[in-house]
Amino acid sequence: MARSGVTDGFHLVIDALKLNGLETIYGVAGIPITDLARLAQAEGLRYVGFRHEQSAGNAAAIAGFLTRKPGICLTVSAPGFLNGMVALANATVNGFPMIQISGSSDRAIVDLQQGDYEELDQMNAARPYAKAAYRVNRPQDIGVGVVRAIHAALSGRPGGVYLDLPAGVLSATLDTAAAEQSLMKAIDPAPRHIPSPESIQRAIEVLAAAERPLIILGKGAAYAQADESVRAWIETTRIPYLPMSMAKGLLPDNHPQSASAARSFVFGQADVVMLIGARLNWLLAHGKGSQWSPAAKFVQIDIAPTEIDSNRPIAAPIVGDIGSALSCLLEANQLGRVEPRAAWLDAVAARKRQNLERMRANLEANAAAMNFYGALRVIRGVIAERPDIYVVNEGANTLDFGRNIVDMYAPRKRLDSGTWGVMGIGMGYAIGAATVSGKPVLAIEGDSAFGFSGMEIETICRYRLPIVIAVFNNGGIYRGDEVNRGGGSDPAPTVLMGNARYDKLIEAFGGAGYHVTDPASFQTALTDALASGKPALINCAIDPAAGTESGHIQNLNPKSSLSRQD
Ligand code: ADP
Ligand code: MG
């Protein structure tokens, strides 16, 4: 609270956040929230100031994923608000809890469209992209606005919530006693959700009848922080499992039951597939198509009841939180009824050996110019020795190769493009992860992907965060050797500057820049950069011919059948 006797909206927002244990704000200062950021810092909250709201929002979202508390993003009105919305929408799509708090202009003028400074009906603009959107119109409602946002962000499937604070509400004053009365603390905003006993029994029956069962772990399982139950369920049932990208490391990727190296084989062969916090969306080909056995039955644990049957029929839905659901399943399976056939385990193991052998050969091949294998081999080795390092990964080929090549050994250490397959999350996620953990972060970035949030290297240097950025510079989107089909001197649409020295950018802010052209010098630079614990950027020159268009998702890229040359 501010002065005795009277307080204002600014102080009430800070008090409400503090009361609810929300102690970090990611934002960009400006009208009308500059004083909010300033006072928050004065009152002991951590304020991390960015160069662009989208990165601030991405930092808040990933902080929410890592901590199970909504990350707070603070934006200015209209354009700042809209910049942040990209991150809020991405958080909602991914199921990350986040609250975007934005200042807004005078409603009386906005609603009559009389042309206010940064005029926009922000709450209604936010609504379709957010899990919920609220506006506080009176200072005495700030407390309730904040707890409603917290409940909405954390309950059920988490998501992004928008909270609108008009400038007038922030500066409005209120009697201290009334203000104190108005504050609320959210109790148990993400309650356990114990599934029905029938749903557990049904799932056990389906799994016990399986000959070739498979478990798919999604980032919902990572979010749930039920790591011990996940491990116990997988190890007692002995079912082969596949982690989706952000579930990598829930069990170490070198676990004998991991079927990652036999991915297509297990999709095609499994007769029962158990989804644990993973959606049957495009990332799993909707459970359909040539990859999947049409006869397979599905078991699905999810906290969102409406996720069930969204793509394929689910024979045994378990609606509940993953920790509770797995405890119930472990209890119900004490007699060990769920047990895969030995022939299945042998077949998976054989396919795995074969594919791992091929991967090893690719990794060991020393191409004349450094390619994705050569560069990622270095990172693979570093993470095997330093499993505590967070890995942020975005790009096209950089993402696809990175996901497959870099094994993870600890939960929630891999943060990537996620459900949308989006570019632009890199620096925001890296800053969010470093801020909440204090641990080193390695951001593996395609050169195009890096460009979307690259200016945040100033933020990284300003806050002296232990972040090392490896820019995989193949000079373009997908690859760097495309030619202008019209024959003109403009570069082709996918081409970027292959000779760009991204390492020089970070030097401008006092960080360490490295330029490497082969795996050996990359190894030296990376080791050096991580040992320093300081901000660094390594420009990794990658063969411009090394990538493929759209990486592993070429099927999603429509092509003209009429093009003159291909
Ligand atoms: P991935 O992309 O890794 O496959 P998704 O984001 O598609 O993961 O799916 C995550 C799923 O996990 C969502 O359907 C979400 O509702 C669910 N989920 C999130 N948190 C929990 C939880 N604590 N318990 C159960 N399900 C959860
Ligand atoms: Mg590129």
Side-chain angles (χ1 to χ4, degrees), residues 283-463:
L283 289 157
L284 289 169
H286 307 281
K288 296 172 191 158
S290 53
Q291 306 197 47
W292 286 90
S293 159
K297 285 188 171 171
F298 283 80
V299 176
Q300 181 164 30
I301 305 180
D302 206 292
I303 202 151
T306 51
E307 186 55 36
I308 307 303
D309 290 342
S310 57
N311 286 274
R312 257 186 88 148
I314 304 297
I318 302 176
V319 175
D321 73 275
I322 287 161
S324 302
L326 290 176
S327 305
C328 295
L329 283 166
L330 281 160
E331 178 78 29
N333 188 43
Q334 274 183 1
L335 298 176
R337 288 183 59 208
V338 177
E339 179 160 47
R341 304 291 153 91
W344 169 236
L345 301 183
D346 291 345
V348 176
R351 183 58 65 105
K352 235 178 103 170
R353 265 197 306 279
Q354 190 183 320
N355 290 347
L356 285 173
E357 198 42 57
R358 209 170 51 209
M359 163 83 85
R360 193 166 306 123
N362 282 331
L363 284 173
E364 280 165 11
N366 264 320
M370 182 156 68
N371 61 16
F372 291 98
Y373 284 107
L376 286 163
R377 176 179 74 206
V378 171
I379 294 179
R380 178 183 159 95
V382 165
I383 298 300
E385 279 176 17
R386 289 286 310 273
D388 60 312
I389 293 175
Y390 284 85
V391 170
V392 170
N393 193 192
E394 63 175 335
N397 294 282
T398 305
L399 178 76
D400 292 334
F401 283 107
R403 181 176 54 234
N404 290 345
I405 294 175
V406 180
D407 283 345
M408 304 303 296
Y409 304 89
R412 293 171 293 282
K413 293 290 186 185
R414 185 186 157 86
L415 313 169
D416 67 22
S417 301
T419 304
W420 263 347
V422 76
M423 302 296 131
I425 48 89
M427 297 305 102
Y429 280 11
I431 294 169
T435 305
V436 297
S437 72
K439 289 263 160 44
V441 179
L442 171 57
I444 312 167
E445 301 277 312
D447 53 338
S448 160
F450 174 68
F452 289 89
S453 65
M455 192 64 207
E456 301 299 342
I457 54 177
E458 191 274 338
T459 309
I460 291 169
C461 291
R462 187 162 24 100
Y463 288 87

Side-chain angles (χ1 to χ4, degrees), residues 68 93-94 156-158 217-221 223-224 244-247 277-279 281 283-284 301-304 307 320-322 419:
R68 291 171 62 93
V93 164
N94 281 279
R157 176 187 292 163
L217 296 176
K219 60 174 146 1
Y223 176 78
M244 299 299 288
S245 66
M246 283 180 61
R279 284 172 283 185
N281 56 17
L283 289 157
L284 289 169
I301 305 180
D302 206 292
I303 202 151
E307 186 55 36
D321 73 275
I322 287 161
T419 304

